[in-house]
Amino acid sequence: MIWLILLYIAFLISGFIIMKAENSGRKEKTVFVAITTIGCILWGSLVVHRPLDLNKWIGMAIDFIF
């Protein structure tokens, strides 16, 4: 599990370096962090053998918004 966290940190650092070189805005950085974090959570759920049901969470989000 520690390798997953180190990989997550490596992706964040490399992504921020690339975005700094491209002069990306705050919205792009926020989206990048959100997508990377969701990916880390999903991979983590697979590593601990308890996969998350994304359909249930998406349905709950839609019900909450509408």
Side-chain angles (χ1 to χ4, degrees), residues 48-66:
V48 297
H49 301 291
R50 290 191 47 109
L52 295 175
D53 184 15
L54 286 182
N55 291 327
K56 181 176 87 173
W57 289 99
I58 292 170
M60 287 172 50
I62 290 172
D63 286 342
F64 179 74
I65 292 172
F66 300 110

Side-chain angles (χ1 to χ4, degrees), residues 24-41:
S24 297
R26 184 178 176 103
K27 288 183 182 180
E28 288 89 0
K29 291 178 183 175
T30 304
V31 170
F32 170 71
V33 170
I35 291 172
T36 306
T37 303
I38 290 170
C40 183
I41 291 170

